Amino acid sequence: MDNIDLSRKEGLHSQFGEVEDIGGDHYRSFVGPPNYYDLVGVTQFNLLTLFGMRETSSLLDIGCGSLRGGRFAILYLRPGRYFGIDREEWLIQDGLQSHFGEEQVNRRQPTFIIDEDFTFTKFDRKFDFLMANSIFTHAPQWQVSKCMTEAQKVMVPETVFLATFFESLDGTDYEGEEWLYPDIVRYRKETISNIVNDAGLDCHHFEWPHPFNQKWIAVTLPGIGLDVEKALSGHVYSYEAALERRRTETTWPGSATN
C-alpha cells in the first residue's frame, strides 16, 4: 500500500477550523465545536422544513453568525427571503466568503443587519419563521426576554419561532446579567416558558435531536394551537399535506390550469 499524504488532511483541518478552540477567531470555531459545524447547521434546516418552511417562506436567522445553518436556507429559499442578524460583522463576511461566491450572493440576495439588541424591526417586515439556535444558551434572562419582546413585533399568526436552550440539571436558573461565551448558561423549562408568556407569546417545549442535547421550543402568537407532534411526524412531507395545500392553491402539478 502506498504511503498516504497527510499534508492535505492537515491543511483541511486548518481550513475548517478543526484545530481551533471553541470561541476562537476561525469562522467555524467561533460559533461552537468546528467538527460539529455541519450537523448543527443541518439540524436547524431540517427542523424548519418539518414545521413547514417552503422556498417561498421568509426566515429571520437570529445570531446568524457565519451561516452555520443559514447557508442551507439561503440556497433553499427564493432570492431575498433570508434575513440574518448578528453582532459580529466579520463572522457574516467570513461565512459568505467561505460558503458562497460573490455571484451566488448577488443571486440569492440575503439581507443582513449588524445589531446586538435584537432590534428585528430594523428589517421593516414580518417573518414566517424565526430561528435562534444556541443564543439562549449564553444569554441572561433579560436578553432572552428582550429577544422575545422584539420577536413578537415581527410575527404574524402563521409565524413559528424555533429556539434552543440548555435545561437546568439542578433546578436552578442562571441569574447573572452578562452574556457568557464560550461558557454556557442553563434554565428550567418553567423559566423559559414564563419569559415567553410574559412577552405575550405561547411556548411549546418539544424533543428533537441536538448534537449537544440542547432543548427546543416553538414559539407562536397566543391561541394559534400549533400541533407540534404533527409537525415532527413529517406531515409536511406527506401526500395528505400536499392535498391540504392543493385546496388553497389555484394550480396543481398536472392540472388543466398548470
Side-chain angles (χ1 to χ4, degrees):
M1 180 180 293
D2 295 336
N3 292 330
I4 298 174
D5 181 6
L6 297 179
S7 61
R8 174 169 171 76
K9 183 177 181 181
E10 292 171 354
L12 287 175
H13 280 190
S14 177
Q15 175 186 349
F16 295 115
E18 293 175 3
V19 297
E20 301 285 339
D21 293 329
I22 298 175
D25 292 334
H26 193 278
Y27 76 94
R28 286 179 176 240
S29 64
F30 186 87
V31 299
N35 56 331
Y36 282 90
Y37 189 87
D38 58 334
L39 284 181
V40 175
V42 80
T43 296
Q44 299 173 55
F45 178 73
N46 286 341
L47 192 59
L48 283 163
T49 63
L50 278 174
F51 275 89
M53 188 176 78
R54 299 291 300 272
E55 63 177 14
T56 53
S57 302
S58 58
L59 170 64
L60 172 58
D61 192 357
I62 301 166
C64 62
S66 58
L67 310 178
R68 178 171 55 182
R71 57 183 171 147
F72 301 106
I74 289 172
L75 291 174
Y76 174 78
L77 298 172
R78 292 186 183 180
R81 301 282 183 162
Y82 174 89
F83 301 81
I85 187 168
D86 200 278
R87 63 171 69 183
E88 302 288 350
E89 184 174 4
W90 72 271
L91 267 182
I92 297 174
Q93 292 175 342
D94 280 11
L96 288 172
Q97 291 174 359
S98 299
H99 300 310
F100 307 99
E102 182 178 355
E103 179 182 352
Q104 201 168 34
V105 172
N106 291 336
R107 190 184 325 126
R108 305 313 303 175
Q109 300 174 27
T111 299
F112 299 96
I113 285 179
I114 308 304
D115 182 275
E116 61 180 22
D117 293 322
F118 304 112
T119 319
F120 307 142
T121 51
K122 287 184 177 181
F123 290 102
D124 194 28
R125 60 163 299 144
K126 307 286 187 177
F127 299 95
D128 299 310
F129 291 90
L130 290 80
M131 169 63 73
N133 178 79
S134 202
I135 302 301
F136 306 151
T137 56
H138 308 287
Q141 293 185 45
W142 71 267
Q143 282 188 320
V144 179
S145 178
K146 179 70 178 296
C147 181
M148 289 299 165
T149 299
E150 293 301 308
Q152 194 270 349
K153 299 175 183 178
V154 296
M155 296 172 68
V156 297
E158 297 77 20
T159 301
V160 177
F161 178 7
L162 299 169
T164 66
F165 70 100
F166 275 117
E167 186 176 4
S168 173
L169 301 178
D170 60 4
T172 63
D173 298 311
Y174 174 59
E175 299 289 351
E177 296 293 318
E178 301 298 323
W179 171 274
L180 295 185
Y181 190 80
D183 292 336
I184 64 170
V185 302
R186 295 182 180 272
Y187 295 109
R188 294 173 299 141
K189 287 184 177 180
E190 294 84 354
T191 300
I192 293 295
S193 293
N194 289 338
I195 293 174
V196 173
N197 296 156
D198 287 346
L201 299 166
D202 285 350
C203 183
H204 310 265
H205 292 269
F206 64 93
E207 293 295 324
W208 175 253
H210 192 285
F212 311 126
N213 200 33
Q214 294 183 26
K215 302 303 181 183
W216 287 96
I217 57 172
V219 176
T220 63
L221 291 177
I224 300 304
L226 178 66
D227 192 336
V228 174
E229 184 175 348
K230 184 177 181 180
L232 296 180
S233 73
H235 176 76
V236 70
Y237 304 140
S238 69
Y239 179 59
E240 289 75 18
L243 291 177
E244 292 171 7
R245 186 175 179 86
R246 180 181 182 181
R247 300 188 189 102
T248 63
E249 295 179 337
T250 57
T251 61
W252 182 254
S255 68
T257 57
N258 189 38

